[in-house]
Amino acid sequence: MLEVPINRITTLNDEQPNMDAPYVLYWMIAFRRVNYNFSLQRAIEWANKLSKPLLIFEPMTIDYPMASIRFHKFAIEGMKDIQKQRIAEKEYVRAHDFRRFMHKNIEDFLVEVPEKDPLEYLNLKFDEKLIEPMLKKYELVDFNKVNTQDFLNNLNVDKSVEVSDVVGGYNAAKSRLDLFAKKGFNDYSKLRSHPSEDASSQLSPYFHFGHISTYEVFEKIISSESWSVENIDPNFVGRREGWWGGSANLESFFDELITWRELGYHTCVKRANYDQYQSLPDWAIKTLDDHANDEREYIYDLSEFTNANTHDEIWNAAQNQLKTEGRIHNYLRMLWGKKILEWTPNPQIALSYLIDLNDRFALDGRDPNSYSGVFWILGRYDRAWGPERPIYGKIRYMTSKSTATKFNLKPYLEKWSVGSTV
DNA sequence: ATCGGCTCGCGCAA
DNA sequence: TGCGCGAAGCCGAT
């Protein structure tokens, strides 16, 4: 097993290991999987070094402050991918700028990859005797022995957000990945924006919960079209496509999987106020402010938005998908957000509604990438667009009418229109 | 169907 | 200092 790279390790205190302890405890929060997992690999290094058994504890927290800590840890872990020094301390305000950095340094990240099966390298194998006393002592739940629905019914969390049919966990993530590699990926660059097509990976919730590694997804895709790091083209600096030296599908999928994902983490780590209105670029704040008092033709409150109760059939369908399934199709999520900006009294209220709806209902809510999506609505990573319009100012404008012209929405609307029985 | 204009900021070449 | 370029836009002209 290769050593965990030093730049992926954070020392939290100066204490020496307690040699009398019966085991090394791995507190599995951010990367809830046993494959391609540097954290687990590090725990195994310690277990082997100290000749102690490894105990993996996967906790579940329900109070928001803990969730916030988990979110931040997750963000920091992910950020280590791109903390490869030189120009790395700065903040990137656009994907365009970030790509230059990625293009130059990506090979370094692709060399130091986590092991597929780090548990194979554990010297002391699984000891059943260690488990039962732990379960008793701390009153822990073994979900293989407890009915999940019963457990949820007795849990002290918000039950108004109903469970989604989307299945969590590594196995579901792997099935989804296999299906995507075999089918959706082949039309990815052409169809990913089409709401009625099944061409996007839909892996975001699994990344958010750490159920699958981006490394595993990356390896699956490159093996499917025999791509290797030698394909990276030193030309195309600063260009969106072409520098990976792969198919159009690979170029556009890697732009999502790697460039945009890393950029989102980068922003959350570098900007303490990443979730605040004031973190938007100056030009966006100025133009939104210039139009804060513009007349709004429609205004809805949070409850009306939540219940998909607007005048717009497309918007309601998108919200219904979010409320029911815990996600919105990529393209429609942009339109969905733009309309919230348009139909609220001011952009600060719009932002608070966007964050509430996204974090409450989306399976990938609270993820750095969620914040990329939400803040993009208000101008982050984007540029000014003319002509200047009411409410939006120079913020990129979108309409349901154009969306309906561009795509065949019929199958999507049949599935997700409010009251639809399909 | 395709194109230019609208508009801003970054990196880089000159 | 000027130029190319950009998460997916919109609109009107050709």
Coordinates of all heavy atoms in Angstrom, one line a residue, chain A residues 300-373:
Chain A
Y300 N -43.8 35.5 -4.6 CA -44.2 34.3 -3.8 C -43.5 34.3 -2.5 O -42.3 34.7 -2.4 CB -44.1 33.0 -4.6 CG -44.8 33.0 -5.9 CD1 -44.2 33.2 -7.1 CD2 -46.2 32.9 -5.9 CE1 -44.9 33.2 -8.3 CE2 -46.9 32.9 -7.1 CZ -46.3 33.0 -8.3 OH -47.0 33.0 -9.4
D301 N -44.1 33.7 -1.4 CA -43.4 33.5 -0.2 C -42.8 32.1 -0.2 O -43.1 31.3 -1.1 CB -44.2 33.8 1.0 CG -45.5 32.9 1.1 OD1 -45.4 31.8 0.6 OD2 -46.5 33.3 1.7
L302 N -42.0 31.8 0.9 CA -41.3 30.5 0.9 C -42.3 29.3 0.9 O -42.0 28.3 0.2 CB -40.5 30.4 2.2 CG -39.6 29.2 2.3 CD1 -38.7 29.0 1.1 CD2 -38.8 29.3 3.6
S303 N -43.4 29.5 1.5 CA -44.4 28.4 1.5 C -45.0 28.1 0.2 O -45.2 27.0 -0.2 CB -45.5 28.7 2.6 OG -46.7 28.1 2.2
E304 N -45.2 29.2 -0.6 CA -45.8 29.0 -2.0 C -44.7 28.3 -2.9 O -45.0 27.4 -3.7 CB -46.2 30.4 -2.5 CG -47.4 30.9 -1.9 CD -47.7 32.4 -2.2 OE1 -46.8 33.2 -2.2 OE2 -48.9 32.7 -2.5
F305 N -43.5 28.8 -2.7 CA -42.4 28.1 -3.5 C -42.3 26.6 -3.1 O -42.3 25.7 -3.9 CB -41.1 28.8 -3.2 CG -40.9 30.0 -4.0 CD1 -40.6 31.2 -3.4 CD2 -40.9 30.0 -5.4 CE1 -40.4 32.4 -4.1 CE2 -40.7 31.2 -6.1 CZ -40.5 32.4 -5.5
T306 N -42.3 26.4 -1.8 CA -42.1 25.0 -1.3 C -43.2 24.1 -1.8 O -42.9 23.0 -2.2 CB -42.2 25.0 0.3 OG1 -41.1 25.9 0.8 CG2 -42.0 23.6 0.8
N307 N -44.4 24.6 -1.9 CA -45.5 23.8 -2.3 C -45.7 23.8 -3.8 O -46.8 23.3 -4.3 CB -46.8 24.2 -1.6 CG -46.7 23.9 -0.1 OD1 -46.2 22.8 0.3 ND2 -47.0 24.9 0.7
A308 N -44.7 24.3 -4.6 CA -44.8 24.3 -6.0 C -46.1 25.0 -6.5 O -46.8 24.6 -7.4 CB -44.7 22.9 -6.6
N309 N -46.4 26.2 -5.9 CA -47.7 26.8 -6.1 C -47.5 28.2 -6.8 O -47.8 29.2 -6.3 CB -48.4 27.0 -4.7 CG -49.8 27.4 -4.9 OD1 -50.4 27.2 -6.0 ND2 -50.4 27.9 -3.8
T310 N -46.8 28.2 -8.0 CA -46.7 29.4 -8.8 C -47.5 29.3 -10.0 O -48.2 28.3 -10.3 CB -45.2 29.6 -9.2 OG1 -44.9 28.7 -10.3 CG2 -44.2 29.3 -8.0
H311 N -47.4 30.4 -10.8 CA -48.2 30.4 -12.1 C -47.6 29.6 -13.2 O -48.1 29.4 -14.3 CB -48.4 31.8 -12.5 CG -47.1 32.5 -12.9 ND1 -46.2 32.9 -11.9 CD2 -46.5 32.7 -14.1 CE1 -45.1 33.4 -12.6 NE2 -45.3 33.3 -13.9
D312 N -46.3 29.1 -13.0 CA -45.5 28.6 -14.0 C -45.4 27.1 -14.0 O -44.8 26.5 -13.0 CB -44.0 29.2 -13.9 CG -43.1 28.9 -15.0 OD1 -43.1 27.7 -15.4 OD2 -42.4 29.8 -15.5
E313 N -45.9 26.4 -15.0 CA -46.0 25.0 -14.9 C -44.6 24.3 -14.9 O -44.4 23.3 -14.2 CB -46.7 24.5 -16.2 CG -47.0 23.0 -16.2 CD -47.5 22.4 -17.5 OE1 -47.4 23.1 -18.5 OE2 -47.9 21.2 -17.5
I314 N -43.7 24.9 -15.7 CA -42.3 24.3 -15.7 C -41.6 24.4 -14.3 O -41.0 23.5 -13.8 CB -41.4 24.9 -16.8 CG1 -42.1 24.7 -18.2 CG2 -40.0 24.4 -16.8 CD1 -41.4 25.4 -19.3
W315 N -41.8 25.6 -13.7 CA -41.2 25.8 -12.4 C -41.8 24.9 -11.4 O -41.0 24.3 -10.6 CB -41.3 27.3 -12.0 CG -40.4 27.6 -10.8 CD1 -39.2 28.1 -10.9 CD2 -40.7 27.3 -9.4 NE1 -38.6 28.2 -9.6 CE2 -39.5 27.7 -8.7 CE3 -41.8 26.8 -8.7 CZ2 -39.4 27.6 -7.3 CZ3 -41.7 26.6 -7.3 CH2 -40.5 27.1 -6.6
N316 N -43.1 24.8 -11.4 CA -43.8 23.9 -10.4 C -43.3 22.5 -10.6 O -43.1 21.8 -9.6 CB -45.3 24.0 -10.6 CG -45.8 25.3 -10.2 OD1 -45.1 26.1 -9.5 ND2 -47.1 25.6 -10.6
A317 N -43.1 22.0 -11.8 CA -42.7 20.7 -12.1 C -41.3 20.4 -11.5 O -41.0 19.4 -10.8 CB -42.7 20.3 -13.6
A318 N -40.4 21.4 -11.7 CA -39.0 21.3 -11.2 C -39.0 21.2 -9.7 O -38.4 20.4 -9.0 CB -38.2 22.5 -11.7
Q319 N -39.8 22.1 -9.1 CA -39.9 22.1 -7.6 C -40.5 20.8 -7.1 O -40.1 20.3 -6.1 CB -40.8 23.3 -7.2 CG -41.2 23.3 -5.7 CD -40.0 23.4 -4.7 OE1 -38.9 23.8 -5.1 NE2 -40.1 23.0 -3.5
N320 N -41.5 20.3 -7.8 CA -42.1 19.0 -7.5 C -41.1 17.9 -7.5 O -41.1 17.0 -6.6 CB -43.3 18.7 -8.4 CG -44.2 17.7 -7.8 OD1 -44.5 17.6 -6.6 ND2 -44.8 16.8 -8.7
Q321 N -40.2 17.9 -8.5 CA -39.2 16.9 -8.6 C -38.3 17.0 -7.3 O -37.9 16.0 -6.7 CB -38.4 17.0 -9.9 CG -37.4 15.9 -10.0 CD -36.4 16.0 -11.1 OE1 -36.3 17.1 -11.7 NE2 -35.6 15.0 -11.4
L322 N -37.9 18.3 -7.1 CA -37.0 18.5 -5.9 C -37.7 18.0 -4.6 O -37.0 17.3 -3.8 CB -36.7 20.0 -5.8 CG -35.9 20.4 -4.6 CD1 -34.5 19.8 -4.6 CD2 -35.8 22.0 -4.5
K323 N -38.9 18.3 -4.4 CA -39.7 18.0 -3.2 C -39.9 16.5 -3.1 O -39.8 16.0 -2.0 CB -41.0 18.7 -3.2 CG -41.6 18.9 -1.9 CD -42.9 19.7 -2.0 CE -43.7 19.5 -0.7 NZ -45.1 19.9 -0.8
T324 N -40.1 15.9 -4.2 CA -40.4 14.4 -4.2 C -39.2 13.6 -4.2 O -39.0 12.6 -3.4 CB -41.3 14.1 -5.4 OG1 -42.4 14.9 -5.5 CG2 -41.8 12.6 -5.3
E325 N -38.3 13.9 -5.1 CA -37.1 13.0 -5.4 C -35.8 13.5 -4.8 O -34.9 12.7 -4.6 CB -36.9 12.9 -6.9 CG -36.2 11.7 -7.4 CD -36.0 11.7 -8.9 OE1 -35.7 12.7 -9.5 OE2 -36.2 10.6 -9.5
G326 N -35.8 14.8 -4.4 CA -34.6 15.3 -3.8 C -33.5 15.7 -4.8 O -32.4 15.8 -4.4
R327 N -33.9 16.0 -6.0 CA -33.0 16.6 -7.0 C -33.8 17.2 -8.1 O -35.0 17.0 -8.2 CB -32.1 15.5 -7.5 CG -32.8 14.4 -8.2 CD -31.8 13.3 -8.6 NE -32.4 12.1 -9.1 CZ -31.9 10.9 -9.1 NH1 -30.7 10.7 -8.6 NH2 -32.5 9.8 -9.6
I328 N -33.1 18.1 -8.8 CA -33.8 18.8 -10.0 C -32.8 18.5 -11.2 O -31.6 18.5 -11.0 CB -33.9 20.3 -9.8 CG1 -34.7 20.6 -8.6 CG2 -34.6 20.9 -11.0 CD1 -35.0 22.1 -8.4
H329 N -33.4 18.3 -12.3 CA -32.5 18.2 -13.5 C -31.6 19.4 -13.6 O -32.0 20.5 -13.4 CB -33.4 18.0 -14.8 CG -32.6 17.8 -16.0 ND1 -32.0 18.8 -16.7 CD2 -32.2 16.6 -16.6 CE1 -31.3 18.2 -17.7 NE2 -31.4 16.9 -17.6
N330 N -30.3 19.1 -14.1 CA -29.3 20.1 -14.1 C -29.7 21.4 -14.8 O -29.5 22.5 -14.2 CB -28.1 19.6 -15.0 CG -27.6 18.3 -14.5 OD1 -27.5 18.1 -13.3 ND2 -27.2 17.5 -15.5
Y331 N -30.3 21.3 -15.9 CA -30.7 22.5 -16.7 C -31.8 23.3 -16.0 O -31.8 24.5 -15.8 CB -31.0 22.2 -18.1 CG -31.2 23.5 -19.0 CD1 -30.1 24.0 -19.6 CD2 -32.4 24.2 -19.0 CE1 -30.2 25.1 -20.4 CE2 -32.5 25.3 -19.7 CZ -31.4 25.8 -20.4 OH -31.5 27.0 -21.2
L332 N -32.8 22.5 -15.6 CA -34.0 23.1 -15.0 C -33.7 23.8 -13.6 O -34.3 24.7 -13.2 CB -35.1 22.1 -14.8 CG -35.8 21.7 -16.2 CD1 -36.9 20.8 -15.9 CD2 -36.2 22.9 -17.0
R333 N -32.6 23.2 -13.0 CA -32.2 23.8 -11.7 C -31.8 25.3 -11.9 O -32.0 26.1 -11.0 CB -31.1 23.0 -11.0 CG -30.7 23.6 -9.7 CD -30.1 22.6 -8.8 NE -29.0 21.9 -9.4 CZ -28.3 20.9 -8.8 NH1 -28.6 20.5 -7.6 NH2 -27.3 20.4 -9.3
M334 N -31.2 25.6 -13.0 CA -30.7 27.0 -13.3 C -32.0 27.9 -13.5 O -32.1 28.9 -12.9 CB -29.8 27.0 -14.5 CG -28.6 26.2 -14.3 SD -27.4 26.5 -15.6 CE -28.1 25.6 -17.0
L335 N -32.9 27.4 -14.3 CA -34.1 28.1 -14.5 C -34.9 28.3 -13.2 O -35.3 29.4 -12.9 CB -35.0 27.4 -15.6 CG -36.3 28.0 -15.9 CD1 -36.2 29.4 -16.6 CD2 -37.2 27.1 -16.7
W336 N -35.0 27.2 -12.5 CA -35.7 27.2 -11.2 C -35.1 28.4 -10.3 O -35.9 29.1 -9.7 CB -35.5 25.9 -10.6 CG -35.9 25.6 -9.2 CD1 -37.2 25.3 -8.7 CD2 -35.1 25.7 -8.0 NE1 -37.2 25.1 -7.4 CE2 -35.9 25.4 -6.9 CE3 -33.8 26.0 -7.8 CZ2 -35.4 25.4 -5.6 CZ3 -33.3 26.0 -6.4 CH2 -34.1 25.7 -5.4
G337 N -33.8 28.4 -10.2 CA -33.2 29.5 -9.4 C -33.4 30.9 -9.9 O -33.6 31.8 -9.1
K338 N -33.2 31.0 -11.2 CA -33.4 32.4 -11.8 C -34.8 32.9 -11.5 O -35.0 34.1 -11.3 CB -33.2 32.3 -13.3 CG -31.7 32.0 -13.7 CD -30.8 33.2 -13.4 CE -29.4 32.9 -13.9 NZ -28.4 33.9 -13.6
K339 N -35.8 32.1 -11.5 CA -37.2 32.5 -11.3 C -37.4 32.9 -9.8 O -38.2 33.8 -9.5 CB -38.2 31.5 -11.7 CG -38.2 31.2 -13.2 CD -38.5 32.4 -14.0 CE -37.4 32.8 -15.0 NZ -37.7 34.0 -15.9
I340 N -36.7 32.2 -8.9 CA -36.8 32.6 -7.5 C -36.2 34.0 -7.3 O -36.7 34.8 -6.6 CB -36.1 31.6 -6.6 CG1 -36.9 30.3 -6.7 CG2 -36.0 32.1 -5.2 CD1 -36.3 29.1 -5.9
L341 N -35.1 34.3 -8.0 CA -34.6 35.7 -8.0 C -35.6 36.7 -8.5 O -35.8 37.7 -7.9 CB -33.3 35.7 -8.9 CG -32.8 37.1 -9.2 CD1 -32.4 37.9 -7.9 CD2 -31.6 37.1 -10.1
E342 N -36.3 36.3 -9.6 CA -37.3 37.2 -10.2 C -38.6 37.4 -9.4 O -39.2 38.5 -9.4 CB -37.6 36.6 -11.6 CG -38.4 37.6 -12.5 CD -38.6 37.0 -13.9 OE1 -37.8 36.2 -14.4 OE2 -39.7 37.2 -14.5
W343 N -39.0 36.4 -8.6 CA -40.3 36.4 -8.0 C -40.2 36.6 -6.5 O -41.1 36.1 -5.7 CB -41.0 35.1 -8.3 CG -41.2 34.8 -9.7 CD1 -41.3 35.7 -10.8 CD2 -41.4 33.5 -10.3 NE1 -41.5 35.1 -12.0 CE2 -41.6 33.7 -11.7 CE3 -41.5 32.2 -9.8 CZ2 -41.8 32.6 -12.6 CZ3 -41.7 31.1 -10.7 CH2 -41.8 31.4 -12.1
T344 N -39.1 37.2 -6.0 CA -39.0 37.6 -4.6 C -38.8 39.1 -4.4 O -38.3 39.7 -5.4 CB -37.9 36.8 -3.9 OG1 -36.8 36.8 -4.8 CG2 -38.3 35.4 -3.6
P345 N -39.1 39.6 -3.3 CA -39.0 41.1 -3.1 C -37.6 41.7 -3.3 O -37.4 42.8 -3.8 CB -39.4 41.3 -1.7 CG -40.3 40.1 -1.3 CD -39.7 39.0 -2.1
N346 N -36.5 40.9 -3.0 CA -35.2 41.4 -3.3 C -34.2 40.2 -3.3 O -34.5 39.1 -2.9 CB -34.7 42.4 -2.2 CG -34.7 41.8 -0.8 OD1 -34.0 40.8 -0.6 ND2 -35.4 42.5 0.1
P347 N -33.0 40.4 -3.8 CA -32.1 39.3 -4.0 C -31.6 38.6 -2.7 O -31.3 37.4 -2.8 CB -30.9 39.9 -4.8 CG -31.1 41.4 -4.7 CD -32.5 41.7 -4.5
Q348 N -31.6 39.4 -1.6 CA -31.2 38.7 -0.4 C -32.2 37.7 0.1 O -31.9 36.6 0.6 CB -31.0 39.8 0.7 CG -29.8 40.7 0.6 CD -30.0 41.9 -0.4 OE1 -31.0 42.0 -1.0 NE2 -29.0 42.7 -0.5
I349 N -33.5 38.1 -0.1 CA -34.6 37.1 0.2 C -34.5 35.9 -0.7 O -34.7 34.8 -0.3 CB -35.9 37.8 0.2 CG1 -36.0 38.8 1.3 CG2 -37.1 36.8 0.3 CD1 -37.3 39.7 1.3
A350 N -34.3 36.2 -2.0 CA -34.1 35.2 -3.0 C -33.1 34.2 -2.6 O -33.3 33.0 -2.6 CB -33.8 35.7 -4.4
L351 N -31.9 34.7 -2.1 CA -30.8 33.8 -1.7 C -31.2 32.9 -0.5 O -31.0 31.7 -0.5 CB -29.6 34.6 -1.3 CG -28.4 33.8 -0.8 CD1 -27.9 32.8 -1.8 CD2 -27.3 34.8 -0.4
S352 N -31.9 33.6 0.5 CA -32.3 32.8 1.6 C -33.3 31.7 1.3 O -33.2 30.6 1.8 CB -32.9 33.7 2.7 OG -34.2 34.2 2.4
Y353 N -34.2 32.0 0.3 CA -35.1 30.9 -0.1 C -34.4 29.8 -0.9 O -34.7 28.6 -0.8 CB -36.2 31.5 -1.1 CG -37.2 32.4 -0.4 CD1 -37.2 32.7 1.0 CD2 -38.3 32.9 -1.1 CE1 -38.2 33.5 1.6 CE2 -39.3 33.7 -0.5 CZ -39.2 34.0 0.8 OH -40.2 34.8 1.4
L354 N -33.5 30.2 -1.8 CA -32.7 29.3 -2.6 C -32.0 28.3 -1.6 O -32.0 27.1 -1.8 CB -31.7 30.0 -3.5 CG -32.2 30.6 -4.7 CD1 -31.2 31.6 -5.3 CD2 -32.5 29.6 -5.8
I355 N -31.3 28.9 -0.6 CA -30.5 28.0 0.3 C -31.5 27.1 1.1 O -31.2 25.9 1.3 CB -29.7 28.9 1.2 CG1 -28.5 29.5 0.4 CG2 -29.1 28.0 2.4 CD1 -27.7 30.5 1.2
D356 N -32.6 27.7 1.5 CA -33.5 26.9 2.3 C -34.1 25.7 1.5 O -34.0 24.6 1.9 CB -34.7 27.8 2.8 CG -35.6 27.0 3.7 OD1 -36.5 26.2 3.2 OD2 -35.6 27.1 4.9
L357 N -34.6 26.0 0.3 CA -35.2 25.0 -0.5 C -34.1 23.9 -1.0 O -34.4 22.7 -0.9 CB -35.8 25.6 -1.8 CG -37.1 26.4 -1.5 CD1 -37.4 27.2 -2.8 CD2 -38.2 25.6 -1.1
N358 N -33.0 24.4 -1.3 CA -31.9 23.5 -1.8 C -31.4 22.6 -0.6 O -31.4 21.4 -0.8 CB -30.7 24.3 -2.3 CG -29.7 23.4 -2.9 OD1 -29.8 22.8 -4.0 ND2 -28.6 23.2 -2.1
D359 N -31.1 23.2 0.5 CA -30.6 22.4 1.6 C -31.6 21.6 2.3 O -31.3 20.5 2.9 CB -29.9 23.4 2.6 CG -28.6 23.9 2.1 OD1 -28.2 23.6 1.0 OD2 -28.0 24.7 2.8
R360 N -32.8 22.0 2.3 CA -33.9 21.2 2.9 C -34.3 20.0 2.1 O -34.5 18.9 2.6 CB -35.1 22.1 3.1 CG -36.3 21.4 3.8 CD -37.5 22.3 4.0 NE -37.2 23.6 4.6 CZ -37.0 23.8 5.9 NH1 -37.2 22.8 6.7 NH2 -36.7 25.0 6.4
F361 N -34.3 20.1 0.7 CA -34.9 19.1 -0.1 C -33.9 18.3 -0.9 O -34.1 17.1 -1.2 CB -36.0 19.6 -1.0 CG -37.2 20.1 -0.3 CD1 -37.5 21.4 -0.1 CD2 -38.1 19.2 0.3 CE1 -38.6 21.9 0.5 CE2 -39.2 19.6 1.0 CZ -39.5 20.9 1.1
A362 N -32.8 18.9 -1.3 CA -31.9 18.2 -2.2 C -31.0 17.2 -1.5 O -30.5 17.6 -0.5 CB -31.0 19.3 -3.0
L363 N -30.9 16.1 -2.1 CA -30.0 15.0 -1.4 C -28.6 15.5 -1.4 O -27.8 15.0 -0.6 CB -30.1 13.7 -2.2 CG -31.4 12.9 -1.9 CD1 -31.6 11.8 -3.0 CD2 -31.4 12.3 -0.5
D364 N -28.2 16.4 -2.3 CA -26.8 16.9 -2.3 C -26.8 18.3 -1.7 O -25.9 19.1 -1.9 CB -26.2 16.9 -3.7 CG -26.9 17.9 -4.6 OD1 -27.9 18.5 -4.3 OD2 -26.4 18.0 -5.8
G365 N -27.9 18.7 -0.9 CA -27.9 20.0 -0.2 C -26.7 20.1 0.7 O -26.2 19.1 1.2
R366 N -26.3 21.3 1.0 CA -25.2 21.6 1.9 C -23.9 21.2 1.4 O -22.8 21.4 2.0 CB -25.4 21.0 3.3 CG -26.6 21.6 4.1 CD -26.7 21.2 5.5 NE -27.0 19.8 5.7 CZ -26.1 18.8 6.0 NH1 -24.8 19.2 6.3 NH2 -26.4 17.6 6.1
D367 N -23.9 20.7 0.2 CA -22.6 20.4 -0.5 C -22.0 21.7 -1.1 O -22.7 22.5 -1.5 CB -22.8 19.4 -1.6 CG -21.6 18.7 -2.1 OD1 -21.2 17.7 -1.5 OD2 -21.0 19.2 -3.0
P368 N -20.6 21.7 -1.2 CA -20.0 22.9 -1.8 C -20.6 23.1 -3.2 O -20.8 24.2 -3.7 CB -18.6 22.5 -1.9 CG -18.4 21.7 -0.7 CD -19.6 20.9 -0.5
N369 N -20.9 22.0 -3.9 CA -21.4 22.1 -5.3 C -22.8 22.7 -5.3 O -23.2 23.3 -6.3 CB -21.4 20.8 -6.0 CG -20.0 20.3 -6.2 OD1 -19.3 20.9 -7.1 ND2 -19.5 19.4 -5.4
S370 N -23.6 22.4 -4.2 CA -24.9 23.1 -4.1 C -24.7 24.6 -4.0 O -25.5 25.3 -4.6 CB -25.6 22.6 -2.8 OG -26.3 21.4 -3.0
Y371 N -23.7 25.0 -3.3 CA -23.5 26.5 -3.2 C -23.0 27.1 -4.5 O -23.3 28.2 -4.8 CB -22.6 26.7 -2.0 CG -23.4 26.7 -0.7 CD1 -23.8 25.4 -0.2 CD2 -23.9 27.8 -0.1 CE1 -24.7 25.3 0.9 CE2 -24.8 27.7 1.0 CZ -25.1 26.5 1.5 OH -26.0 26.4 2.6
S372 N -22.2 26.3 -5.2 CA -21.9 26.8 -6.6 C -23.1 27.1 -7.4 O -23.3 28.1 -8.0 CB -21.0 25.7 -7.3 OG -19.8 25.6 -6.7
G373 N -24.0 26.1 -7.4 CA -25.3 26.2 -8.1 C -26.1 27.4 -7.7 O -26.6 28.2 -8.5

